[in-house]
Amino acid sequence: MEDVLNNFQSACTTLKPSVVFVSIGNEDSLSLRRDILSGTTASMLNFENQYHELARKLDAMTLKRVVLIEPFYVSRYAICDHVRYDIQDKIYITRKMAKSYGFELITLDGLLNQAAFDTGAYNIVKPNGLQLKKQGVRVLETAILDKFKEWSIL
């Protein structure tokens, strides 16, 4: 999250986009396996505070649209299922940010888990459940393209 906060403003200032898609949380959960605060109230409050900081900056910019993409976890192996608790809190915080700031939301966790239910998780994500495979990327692409269609851009 620190990297996002440090890099996004300069990128947005340079590129001047009218639409920004924000996807935060999965890599954090992947790296948090080694973090002593993983899944704790302190780590979630820190995530929420940093997300608020980012959301305030996005809100202050003259963007037509901001779309938050919730983090996801798709279970492939039970040994990784402890990550679900960390991701679930981040999903809640992402949805809360979207509602609080009037941003749009892509509920990627539900979309990917439905696709995994329909076709098998091994087609959607890598074994850790946090990184997309080709078919999972297609689910995300479809959700993004659907937003553009909704806005009559495509």
Side-chain angles (χ1 to χ4, degrees), residues 106-123:
I106 293 177
T107 55
L108 189 58
D109 185 68
L111 296 172
L112 290 171
N113 275 286
Q114 182 65 53
F117 181 81
D118 294 343
T119 66
Y122 53 87
N123 290 316

Side-chain angles (χ1 to χ4, degrees), residues 3 5 25 35 47 51 76 104 112 130 133 139 147 151:
D3 291 338
L5 288 170
D35 184 351
F47 181 80
Y51 216 142
R76 276 192 60 181
E104 297 188 45
L112 290 171
L130 295 167
K133 290 177 79 174
V139 171
K147 283 290 178 192
W151 305 328

